[in-house]
Amino acid sequence: MRVRILGSAAGGGVPQWNCACAGCVAARRAGIDRTQDGVAVTGDGTAWYLVNASPDLRTQLLSAGDLEPGPGRRDTPIRGVLLTTAELDHTAGLLGLREATRLDLYATGTVLAALPVLPILRRYTDLRVHELPTGAPLALDGGLTVRALVVGTKVPRYADGRPDDAWVCALRIGDERTGRAFVYATCLPAWTEDFDAFLGGADAALLDGTFRTADEPLRAAGLTRTPREMGHLPITDALPRLRRHPGVRVLFGHLNNTNHLASGGAAAGVEVAEDGQELVL
Ligand code: MLT
Ligand code: MN
Ligand code: ZN
């Protein structure tokens, strides 16, 4: 299985177009350009699945040689898109896929019901919508399977909906042939026992790196809501839990501009995901 990091930043990217915070200023000076969160995964090197569709998707796909179209005029190795939330930073790129001859979309029923772009997309492409079962694994092309775990209930600002629904999930993508597994959880409000078991035995994981510390939103941006209230467990709270999983290679993604790890900073024992990085499991 191969996993390509398409984008490593939270909503807005780093630097964000209208932001003059210390992190965005530092990123601009250093020529850092982190696009918004998402990955592409393949089991056989031929059939690829996108996890989330950020507003930066076009640029992300153009820089990923393996995702080039062909040999037919409209052939693409992209077999589908798996969504982990309905947030705009994970879904606004769907409109950019309207040229597809067919588009297979996988998400929880809650997310599918909320997406305002689906009726629009149906008029442009052969849209096939698949409800991601939570619990049972679903078979994908190229020998992959995916399992979803609901980890959060934060409703996107644009949506109406019950906060007890399946708004945010983690995915565990397995390769049938090799037995390897990759866990994607870039929006993780809390480290539950269920999530701990879900991560157990995986080979690699992309985890929530939005904030490095609990006081970061207040310190760096004057925000009074805590990372947990915003649906993002800080890295310093995840690290102790990871001691139970020494076999999992962990990268932190969905980095917010308040997090100095997004703009060239480093922290002991923390590996940060980079745009274009590839993991071979
Ligand atoms: C989040 O990750 O919490 C959301 O994407 C926030 C947002 O961009 O509205
Ligand atoms: Mn986000
Ligand atoms: Zn900023």
Side-chain angles (χ1 to χ4, degrees):
M1 169 165 45
R2 282 159 62 203
V3 180
R4 181 183 173 95
I5 308 290
L6 295 174
S8 59
V14 181
Q16 179 175 305
W17 68 278
N18 66 341
C19 192
C21 77
C24 289
V25 168
R28 257 179 222 106
R29 277 209 196 106
I32 289 168
D33 177 7
R34 290 185 184 275
T35 65
Q36 294 163 81
D37 181 46
V39 303
V41 187
T42 185
D44 63 0
T46 304
W48 287 81
Y49 288 86
L50 305 182
V51 178
N52 292 322
S54 95
D56 304 315
L57 192 56
R58 178 176 175 277
T59 320
Q60 295 170 341
L61 297 181
L62 289 182
S63 63
D66 289 316
L67 298 173
E68 264 181 23
R73 199 172 65 91
R74 286 285 194 267
D75 286 347
T76 167
I78 299 169
R79 298 292 170 86
V81 183
L82 312 165
L83 300 173
T84 63
T85 75
E87 298 283 358
L88 293 177
D89 59 344
H90 284 157
T91 59
L94 289 173
L95 281 178
L97 296 176
R98 67 190 177 284
E99 297 89 357
T101 46
R102 168 181 167 159
L103 185 58
D104 285 82
L105 203 57
Y106 302 81
T108 63
T110 302
V111 166
L112 291 171
L115 286 178
V117 297
L118 298 194
I120 301 173
L121 277 172
R122 278 186 216 288
R123 304 210 171 193
Y124 290 80
T125 184
D126 178 10
L127 183 68
R128 312 279 178 101
V129 160
H130 311 267
E131 189 167 337
L132 256 185
T134 51
L138 182 76
L140 301 174
D141 289 351
L144 295 179
T145 59
V146 61
R147 269 201 297 144
L149 175 76
V150 177
V151 293
T153 54
K154 194 179 103 193
V155 185
R157 268 200 269 176
Y158 71 80
D160 303 311
R162 296 197 311 263
D164 57 340
D165 285 338
W167 286 104
V168 183
C169 61
L171 300 180
R172 182 175 171 124
I173 301 174
D175 183 331
E176 299 267 83
R177 206 168 32 91
T178 61
R180 298 290 166 96
F182 167 71
V183 168
Y184 177 102
T186 59
C187 294
L188 186 68
W191 196 288
T192 61
E193 280 308 310
D194 280 351
F195 180 72
D196 199 80
F198 193 73
L199 180 69
D203 297 278
L206 183 69
L207 298 187
D208 193 335
T210 313
F211 303 108
R212 196 178 71 82
T213 61
D215 65 347
E216 183 185 308
L218 183 61
R219 216 174 5 86
L223 300 173
T224 51
R225 288 202 310 158
T226 66
R228 279 169 190 261
E229 282 166 352
M230 289 187 261
H232 299 289
L233 186 76
I235 292 176
T236 51
D237 287 13
L239 290 177
R241 317 303 291 268
L242 283 168
R243 285 197 208 109
R244 286 168 66 176
H245 303 279
V248 188
R249 178 177 174 190
V250 173
L251 304 182
F252 287 95
H254 193 274
L255 304 162
N256 191 49
N257 52 37
T258 49
N259 184 343
H260 80 289
L261 299 177
S263 45
V270 178
E271 187 178 0
V272 155
E274 301 295 340
D275 287 35
Q277 182 177 5
E278 199 171 297
L279 307 177
V280 182
L281 311 181

